[in-house]
Amino acid sequence: VLQDHTKAFQHYLAAASLGDLDAMHNLGNAYLKGNGVPQDFQKAGEWFDRSAKAGNSESMVALALSLFVSGNPSPHQVKRALAL
């Protein structure tokens, strides 16, 4: 089967809308890497944040890292990352 990042993104979005934490995390990764959607660090952070707030420890780490990858984190973002 050929990889289809766009189709995978759509499935993750459907699962995330039902509360699936892994799907939320995968959406964050999709935005972070630009797989199936245009790369968007802000949206990546938003999905990692949703998943992290619900208890996904992998998303907590990813959120902290994505804040620094975004280039120029604000002091608020640094505090948020360190709080995770």
Side-chain angles (χ1 to χ4, degrees):
V1 176
L2 294 174
Q3 282 187 333
D4 186 338
H5 293 293
T6 302
K7 194 169 196 174
F9 180 85
Q10 293 168 350
H11 288 291
Y12 293 142
L13 191 58
S17 71
L18 298 173
D20 187 288
L21 300 183
D22 290 330
M24 291 178 196
H25 179 80
N26 290 336
L27 288 170
N29 273 330
Y31 278 114
L32 185 66
K33 297 174 184 177
N35 289 339
V37 291
Q39 190 174 43
D40 187 325
F41 295 124
Q42 181 175 344
K43 287 183 181 179
E46 290 170 6
W47 280 108
F48 288 142
D49 189 49
R50 288 176 73 175
S51 182
K53 284 180 179 174
N56 185 319
S57 59
E58 191 175 5
S59 287
M60 292 175 191
V61 173
L63 175 62
L65 292 173
S66 72
L67 292 173
F68 289 104
V69 168
S70 66
N72 189 16
S74 70
H76 173 73
Q77 289 173 316
V78 172
K79 286 178 74 175
R80 173 80 174 112
L82 295 174
L84 299 173

